[in-house]
Amino acid sequence: MATALFVVSEEGYWGEECIEPLTSLSDAGVDVTVATPSGAPPEIDERSVDPDEVGEETAEHVMDVHENDDRLNDPIPVATADADDYDTVVFPGGHGTEWDINQDRHARTLLAETVAGDDGTALVVCHAIGILAFTWDEGGERIVDGRNVTGFPNEWEEGIVDEHDRMPDGRKLPYWVEDEVRAAGANWDAELDADTSVTVDGDLVTARGPGSSAAAAETLLDELAIDGSA
C-alpha cells in the first residue's frame, strides 16, 4: 500500500487544498498520515469554509472532513515524521503556512529529503510553495533553484492584502510567495490564463491554488502510478 504524509498548518490551512488531495488519495487506497508542527489538530482558514467564498457544497464537504476525519483530529508532530516512511509528502496551502509550515525546520527537512532521492514525490500547493524558498539540499543549494514551479501569484495577493500587507483578519503577511520563490531561483509560471495550474518537475509537483486542488491530486496519483478510480 502506498503511503502519504500531509503536513498541515496550525495557523490556518485552506480547506479544499488539503481535503481534495486527502480524500482523493484515500479513495485510491493510499494510507494517509497527517502531521502538524506541534501535533495539535490543524486550524482551518474560515474563509475556505465560507459558502459565499467557496460555494455551499464545497464548504459543507470540507467542514465535514475537517471536523470528523480522525487523521486530521489526531495528527503526529512534524518532528517525529521520517520522509523515508512515505511515498509522497503533501504540503497543502493557505496563508497560515507562512507563519508555521514554511518556517518549520522539520517540515523543510521532510521536503528536502523527499525530493533528494529517487523514490519520493512531493506535492506543494498554493502558499505552501513558500517553503521552497527556505529549503536547501545537502550541498547547500536551494532546492527550487532552476526548477519549474507554479504557485499563488502576486496578482491574486494584491486582491487580498491592503497597502501595508495586512490580511483581512489584521495579521501582516510576512512575504509574498511569488517574490520569494522567484528570488530563490525558480522558473515561475502561475499560468494565469489557465483554469488550473499544476507543474511537474521531476519529483516535485506544485499547484497554484484552490481551483487546482483536484488536478493536483490527479497528477500526484499519476506520478505515483496509482489508479485514482480504485
Side-chain angles (χ1 to χ4, degrees):
M1 177 183 291
T3 55
L5 177 70
F6 277 63
V7 181
V8 187
S9 174
E10 293 174 43
E11 295 287 339
Y13 75 89
W14 193 269
E16 187 176 0
E17 294 171 1
C18 175
I19 303 307
E20 183 66 36
L22 187 149
T23 55
S24 293
L25 266 63
S26 297
D27 290 347
V30 178
D31 183 17
V32 174
T33 299
V34 173
T36 61
S38 74
E43 294 292 334
I44 196 166
D45 188 319
E46 293 184 358
R47 294 173 300 151
S48 71
V49 287
D50 181 350
D52 293 334
E53 181 87 22
V54 301
E56 186 172 341
E57 182 176 351
T58 295
E60 289 182 356
H61 172 63
V62 166
M63 199 62 190
D64 177 60
V65 177
H66 172 75
E67 292 179 337
N68 298 304
D69 190 286
D70 290 339
R71 297 162 297 186
L72 284 167
N73 288 316
D74 189 22
I76 65 173
V78 167
T80 66
D82 187 335
D84 290 339
D85 293 337
Y86 304 96
D87 297 297
T88 184
V89 179
V90 179
F91 296 81
H95 282 93
T97 62
E98 295 203 13
W99 286 279
D100 60 1
I101 298 299
N102 299 352
Q103 309 301 327
D104 189 293
R105 69 186 183 96
H106 294 107
R108 296 197 303 260
T109 297
L110 282 170
L111 175 59
E113 292 180 348
T114 299
V115 301
D118 296 327
D119 299 328
T121 300
L123 168 61
V124 191
V125 185
C126 195
H127 281 86
I129 300 294
I131 195 174
L132 297 173
F134 310 117
T135 304
W136 286 260
D137 62 21
E138 289 184 348
E141 302 293 329
R142 295 179 191 265
I143 65 167
V144 77
D145 189 17
R147 285 184 181 263
N148 299 318
V149 302
T150 184
F152 197 83
N154 285 351
E155 186 170 320
W156 292 5
E157 204 73 87
E158 291 171 356
I160 297 175
V161 299
D162 68 12
E163 67 273 20
H164 302 298
D165 286 356
R166 290 175 300 202
M167 296 283 296
D169 63 5
R171 290 192 296 179
K172 185 181 184 299
L173 195 67
Y175 55 85
W176 290 25
V177 167
E178 179 178 341
D179 289 341
E180 296 295 333
V181 176
R182 281 184 181 274
N187 301 319
W188 176 278
D189 185 0
E191 302 177 287
L192 293 178
D193 293 331
D195 291 336
T196 63
S197 178
V198 179
T199 299
V200 179
D201 189 322
D203 43 19
L204 176 65
V205 182
T206 53
R208 185 178 62 198
S212 299
S213 300
E218 293 171 5
T219 300
L220 181 58
L221 287 170
D222 287 343
E223 291 298 306
L224 296 173
I226 296 172
D227 183 359
S229 63

